[in-house]
Amino acid sequence: MSVFEVLRAQVDLLELAGRYTDLRSSGKTHAGRCPYPDHEDKNPSFYVYPDGRYFCYGCGRHADVVDLWSVIKGLKPGLDAALDLDREHRIDLPE
């Protein structure tokens, strides 16, 4: 299992995204305003799906918990963001 798979499985995207935007239940998903700093979302267009992915129908961005973390924290996407997310949540990652 990769570092990214472990983080997707162990870090709750809904909880993390909910720290930065008000999410409301919308069927099997949760919707809120996009938390991306360069997207002034006036209507909820950011959806968090049960499979641990998100999609913003306003700006078109979509990804997972690691990508959202990189944007919120201003980190380089990929391994840098994954390792920082790991430090924040203290997850035992594979070597």
Side-chain angles (χ1 to χ4, degrees):
M1 191 176 259
S2 78
V3 169
F4 300 98
E5 291 169 327
V6 170
L7 289 169
R8 274 187 230 119
Q10 294 192 28
V11 177
D12 184 357
L13 174 61
L14 184 60
E15 187 275 325
L16 180 70
R19 293 183 204 172
Y20 302 97
T21 188
D22 184 30
L23 295 171
R24 305 230 188 263
S25 180
S26 179
K28 292 184 179 182
T29 66
H30 285 77
R33 292 187 177 149
C34 184
Y36 277 72
D38 64 345
H39 180 203
E40 292 185 31
D41 197 8
K42 299 195 187 310
N43 297 304
S45 61
F46 179 82
Y47 286 78
V48 176
Y49 293 93
D51 69 352
R53 305 285 182 170
Y54 66 84
F55 187 84
C56 178
Y57 290 90
C59 67
R61 292 183 175 110
H62 56 93
D64 65 11
V65 68
V66 176
D67 297 305
L68 183 60
W69 186 255
S70 74
V71 169
I72 289 169
K73 295 298 181 175
L75 301 168
K76 183 177 176 184
L79 193 55
D80 289 345
L83 294 175
D84 191 73
L85 182 60
D86 171 56
R87 282 189 290 276
E88 178 77 16
H89 287 86
R90 298 184 180 135
I91 294 169
D92 189 23
L93 293 177
E95 289 298 320

